């Protein structure tokens, strides 16, 4: 453990994911956690180690202001874990660039914004280049399982006709807030109403479809998405929720990307209590046909890991908005 | 299909793999096959299209000399598919750099030479930089299944304690020369003698171990490799070979890489006639544990595909010797 070459990181956002990335930064050789920023008054002023759930204090107070966090030691990079949407995070990125830091973010819409949010993408890219800094949006999904990994597997193919990815999560093994987020316990009517308002469902499928199409040089001529409830046929109880027969135990979400020749990418995301066969399956129809099955890609651990593991590559990258398909392989290190 | 931005490729080596890469170059938008080089007198002077097995001539004669191949149209890159070993290919790389071309090669020892052949690696890197050109060694294995892909999967892990990869090939479904290469039909005594002379076995395991260790910042304190025959317990006949009971139907090869703390990487390669459960399995022991199973990664198709698919990235890369872990994601395109 040498301090030479150590990358100093500010944790920007101290919710469950941000606390977990901060803990991993603390245990990772080559990284130093130098500050924590959050707007929650219950956290501001408290010791960062205690806020993120370490069993010892770090001697650093949580602050609600980035410049204060930087005042003592400076920093190289901010790990940004506040929210998913451009509307909400764009001014935060601007603030971080102004402070002269690179950014790794878990914001889903940032993972590949060039197709779904081209204007905002161009703006963030310009901001980054003007500041001479690099920003990456990443996570297990979007960022890896439904975009980078299937793209990488197509390297083995002489021809690719169709890509399908199916991710199945047994929400019973996940945090209570996740169970609530996927609709567990709702009536079908409430679920449908929330869905119609665009409030239900996993964020990131358009970004994954966009990364696959754009990287493979295909034109996305049509995009179709659907969300439907998965209904319980027996009583389910967890620590967080009780689901009666006929109520919602989770959701099934499908995104389809089409070229002029037909459906090219199909992404299916199922997250429900009591769901069997948890795992990820990637099928590539082409020459040859490939089938890849993954077990163990726990969403929270994997998103936290990939964000922290990406820090080194982002720190080495050229300025601008980069995505997972632009960087050399990211590994645990 | 536009010729603007088209990459002009010389196929250097016209054996079975080189003929297959050449055919894929012909069918790939954005690439143009501008020449073919081979020293085989039976091929020199023949039409390149006929030599590589197209159903139409290309109007280009195979030549035994790179400069002659370049004379008419020039070229941007050579796809090099002659042999596996530095001793044999190093002067060829030198010749190609002198002609001013980038190189994608299927030479196994080139895939990650920094640990197994550091002096030659440094020399090739210098040659490439002096020429202002880029060279990559790639293939399905080494180059992807036992190095790049497991490395990439570790991005999902907070902690990695151990990596194992097992590749099982049913040689009955492969070319006759491949069946012979893995020892099918030999007596156990002949196999053992050939093994002792270092003539049996898959080339590339030290390179894969090297890439994993080096990329993850681990020191390889010990490397152990073994090859053993897989013996037939019933009569096996293929178009190429007949294997009596008690004779060899293939081989099992294991490579183990150790840190000071113990075994960290274990690679198992099994290729035998009548072998069940063809496929690749990657296990990462850590936080979390990951298991990934692949089906359909046919060695010849996949090596050919990945070499051709890599051309675009190599053409964009900075000069020098690069390996798969240095480049942005390679995809079918």
């Amino acid at each position: 453990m040498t301090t030479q070459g150590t990358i100093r990181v500010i944790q920007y956002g101290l919710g469950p994911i941000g606390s977990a990335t901060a803990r991993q930064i603390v245990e990772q050789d080559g990284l130093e956690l130098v500050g924590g920023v959050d707007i929650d008054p219950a956290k501001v002023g408290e010791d960062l180690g205690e806020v993120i759930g370490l069993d010892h204090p770090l001697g650093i107070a949580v602050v609600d202001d980035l410049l204060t966090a930087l005042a003592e030691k400076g920093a190289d990079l901010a790990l940004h874990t506040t929210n998913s949407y451009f509307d909400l995070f764009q001014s935060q990125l601007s603030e971080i660039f102004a402070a002269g830091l690179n950014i790794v973010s878990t914001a889903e819409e940032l993972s590949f914004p060039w197709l779904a949010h081209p204007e905002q993408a161009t703006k963030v890219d310009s901001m980054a280049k003007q500041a001479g800094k690099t920003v990456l949006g990443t996570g297990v999904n979007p960022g890896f399982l439904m975009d980078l990994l299937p793209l990488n597997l197509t390297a083995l193919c002489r021809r690719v006709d169709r890509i399908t990815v199916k991710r199945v999560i047994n929400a019973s093994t996940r945090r209570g807030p996740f169970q609530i987020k996927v609709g567990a316990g709702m009536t079908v009517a409430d679920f449908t109403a929330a869905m119609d308002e665009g409030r239900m469902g996993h964020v990131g499928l358009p970004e994954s479809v966009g990364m696959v199409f754009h990287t493979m040089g295909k034109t996305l001529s049509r995009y179709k998405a659907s969300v439907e409830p998965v209904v319980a046929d027996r009583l389910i109880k967890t620590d967080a929720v009780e689901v009666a027969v006929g109520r919602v135990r989770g959701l099934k979400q499908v995104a389809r990307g089409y070229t002029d020749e037909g459906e090219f990418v199909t992404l299916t995301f199922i997250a429900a209590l009591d769901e069997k066969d948890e795992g990820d399956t990637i099928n590539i129809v082409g020459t040859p046909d490939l089938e890849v099955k993954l077990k163990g890609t726990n969403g929270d651990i994997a998103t936290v890991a990939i964000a922290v593991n990406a820090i080194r590559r982002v720190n080495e990258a050229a300025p601008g908005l980069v995505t997972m398909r632009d960087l050399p392989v990211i590994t645990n290190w």
Side-chain angles (χ1 to χ4, degrees), chain A residues 86-87 90 109 113 116-125 321:
Chain A
F86 265 99
D87 292 352
Q90 196 158 338
E109 286 192 350
H117 299 88
E119 285 173 30
Q120 292 97 320
T122 304
K123 183 151 185 218
V124 169
D125 186 49
L321 167 60

Side-chain angles (χ1 to χ4, degrees), chain A residues 141 146 165-171 174 178 182 202 205 228-230 249-254 267-273 275-280:
Chain A
N141 177 28
M146 288 189 166
V165 186
K166 185 175 180 186
R167 178 156 172 75
V168 177
I169 295 171
N170 178 8
R174 301 287 299 279
F178 182 85
V182 299
H202 171 70
L205 298 182
E228 60 187 73
V230 181
R249 65 178 170 90
L251 58 78
K252 177 181 177 182
Q253 197 166 351
V254 183
L267 307 180
T268 303
F269 178 91
I270 297 171
L273 297 180
E275 188 66 27
K276 305 287 172 252
D277 298 323
E278 182 166 76
D280 309 289

Side-chain angles (χ1 to χ4, degrees), chain A residues 11-12 16 43 58 87 101 111 140 170 186 206 211 221 224 253-255 268 283 288 294 317 320 322 329:
Chain A
Q11 179 59 47
Y12 192 107
K43 293 173 183 166
L58 287 171
D87 292 352
L101 307 184
S111 64
V140 67
N170 178 8
M186 292 175 95
M211 194 193 296
S221 60
K224 249 176 72 178
Q253 197 166 351
V254 183
T268 303
N283 282 284
L294 295 90
V322 297
V329 61

